[in-house]
Amino acid sequence: MSTTPAVPAEPLMSWRPRLTVRLRLTLSYALLLVLAGGVIGIIIYAVMRFVPNYPLTAANPRDQTPVATRGEILDTVVKLTLYALALLAAIGMGAGWIIAGRMLRPLQEITSAARLAANGSLDHRIRLGGPRDEFTDLSDTFDEMLERLERAFTQYRRFAANASHELRTPHAVMKTMLEVAIADPDHQDVRELARRLHETNQRGIDIVEALLALAALGNRKVELEPVNLASVARQAVAELQPEAVAAGVTLTTAIEGSIVDGNETLLHQLIVNLGQNAIRHNLPAGGTALLTVQSGGRLTVVNTGEVIDPAKVTTLTEPFTRGARLAKHSGGGHGLGLTLVAAITTAHGGTLDLAAQPTGGLKASVHLHPLRS
């Protein structure tokens, strides 16, 4: 005989009335009026205690109008005070409810905007009008946050789409080459096929490593130590020279001593990426690239090349942004070089400036913090 396990009963939630801010403000206004009225009533009562307790007579003997005693006057004061307190409570509740509603109306607009943002809509703005106060400050701050979130999500979606495309391309190329080789194995140059597969596979590896480097920079704090920027630059140039010679680009240097607070591995990657960008985005042959290191943590790389639209310079640090010539040659780069440069510079607390050269090419300037004494 099978038994069904008993399902534990869910605890009953005790119902609680919602004490809204508007209601609390209304009660506070009403209570304040009642307290003020009560204080005034007490003062009047205390003053009336000084009225003589003996029967009072009119100043004119002919006036026989009866005069109230002190006890009757005090009883009247108490009775009227209670009526006045009840009236003040009613006025406080009514007026307080209206005033609190008007005061909290901007908060309701902000709450509505927050609900829309929570549901994924980031293209709306509050733009709260009226006098400058805490609500308008909150509204402006919220609008600024929405703008940053919208920009960040737009960049994230574009990055995800580009990354998917860039990672899919090498695999699609390798799949095509292998399918052709399998379909006609007798007419294949195995050495050439292996070379092309190696290059395509290396491209996929480079993209993955660059993406991992970007993710690592965004998730950890860089440990800084004294680094000789000139020494790091010389090592990077030695690695770049073979590629420059193969591309027909003359790579020259002007290096001065400069000690900065930095991470040697990341700074090496920064200089290599700037150098590769200067070489690969150069003229087809006979171009030049100049790398300079100056005291005070200033690093500059200037190269010849195609004329770049100044409006496009600001987009060069976005992921998978490549020059027009390299876009036609998949082997020229994956469009993450300057993105990594910008991320490494930011991790070091430095600044990166990119400027298009009037005669063609790009000037990249990195300013790092010199060694703190």
Side-chain angles (χ1 to χ4, degrees):
M1 180 177 179
S2 61
T3 58
T4 304
V7 179
E10 295 183 359
L12 296 176
M13 297 293 293
S14 58
W15 181 83
R16 292 182 180 180
R18 187 185 180 193
L19 194 60
T20 62
V21 175
R22 186 178 185 181
L23 180 57
R24 281 182 286 175
L25 286 176
T26 301
L27 293 176
S28 299
Y29 296 152
L31 180 61
L32 182 62
L33 282 177
V34 170
L35 289 177
V39 170
I40 294 175
I42 292 174
I43 293 174
I44 295 174
Y45 185 86
V47 171
M48 295 303 298
R49 297 280 295 178
F50 292 99
V51 175
N53 197 23
Y54 51 80
L56 301 177
T57 59
N60 186 0
R62 297 178 180 180
D63 189 358
Q64 299 299 323
T65 302
V67 180
T69 64
R70 184 181 68 175
E72 294 174 338
I73 294 174
L74 292 178
D75 290 341
T76 303
V77 168
V78 172
K79 185 183 298 183
L80 292 178
T81 299
L82 293 177
Y83 289 152
L85 292 179
L87 179 61
L88 287 175
I91 295 175
M93 290 292 292
W97 182 261
I98 296 173
I99 295 174
R102 291 178 60 87
M103 294 294 295
L104 294 176
R105 188 174 301 162
L107 188 60
Q108 295 174 353
E109 297 182 23
I110 297 174
T111 302
S112 300
R115 287 198 183 99
L116 291 174
N119 293 329
S121 175
L122 301 174
D123 58 350
H124 62 282
R125 301 292 181 267
I126 303 173
R127 295 187 178 90
L128 191 64
R132 299 298 305 177
D133 54 18
E134 290 82 354
F135 286 122
T136 54
D137 291 341
L138 178 60
S139 170
D140 294 343
T141 302
F142 193 83
D143 285 344
E144 183 180 354
M145 181 192 71
L146 286 177
E147 184 176 354
R148 291 183 178 180
L149 284 175
E150 183 181 18
R151 185 166 57 248
F153 275 101
T154 300
Q155 293 176 351
Y156 168 77
R157 284 191 287 265
R158 185 166 60 247
F159 175 82
N162 291 334
S164 300
H165 172 74
E166 293 290 333
L167 289 173
R168 188 186 302 115
T169 299
H171 292 84
V173 172
M174 287 189 292
K175 179 182 178 182
T176 301
M177 288 189 293
L178 290 173
E179 288 177 347
V180 172
I182 293 173
D184 189 11
D186 297 332
H187 296 84
Q188 295 296 322
D189 186 343
V190 177
R191 187 179 299 275
E192 177 63 18
L193 177 62
R195 185 189 66 79
R196 293 175 61 190
L197 286 173
H198 173 73
E199 290 179 354
T200 308
N201 182 65
Q202 186 61 45
R203 172 174 168 75
I205 293 174
D206 292 342
I207 295 174
V208 172
E209 289 180 348
L211 292 174
L212 290 176
L214 281 174
L217 283 174
N219 294 327
R220 66 180 176 89
K221 183 179 179 181
V222 176
E223 297 294 333
L224 304 180
E225 59 183 7
V227 176
N228 188 338
L229 188 61
S231 177
V232 176
R234 292 189 183 96
Q235 295 175 7
V237 169
E239 296 181 14
L240 292 168
Q241 282 293 358
E243 183 175 350
V245 172
V249 175
T250 302
L251 177 60
T252 58
T253 61
I255 299 176
E256 299 178 0
S258 180
I259 307 298
V260 299
D261 280 334
N263 181 285
E264 184 172 351
T265 302
L266 292 178
L267 291 179
H268 180 272
Q269 184 66 49
L270 179 146
I271 298 174
V272 168
N273 283 16
L274 285 177
Q276 289 178 341
N277 183 78
I279 295 170
R280 297 173 182 177
H281 291 265
N282 218 301
L283 295 173
T288 62
L290 172 63
L291 186 149
T292 63
V293 176
Q294 297 174 310
S295 59
R298 296 184 181 275
L299 169 71
T300 305
V301 178
V302 182
N303 63 275
T304 56
E306 299 175 343
V307 177
I308 303 175
D309 183 1
K312 187 181 178 182
V313 172
T314 57
T315 67
L316 294 179
T317 55
E318 294 184 7
F320 305 107
T321 300
R322 292 180 289 181
R325 187 173 66 86
L326 284 183
K328 301 176 183 177
H329 303 85
S330 60
H334 44 64
L336 290 171
L338 290 180
T339 306
L340 270 173
V341 169
I344 293 173
T345 304
T346 301
H348 283 78
T351 57
L352 171 65
D353 295 319
L354 301 177
Q357 298 289 87
T359 57
L362 184 72
K363 179 180 179 181
S365 302
V366 177
H367 186 198
L368 303 171
H369 292 295
L371 180 64
R372 293 186 294 267
S373 58

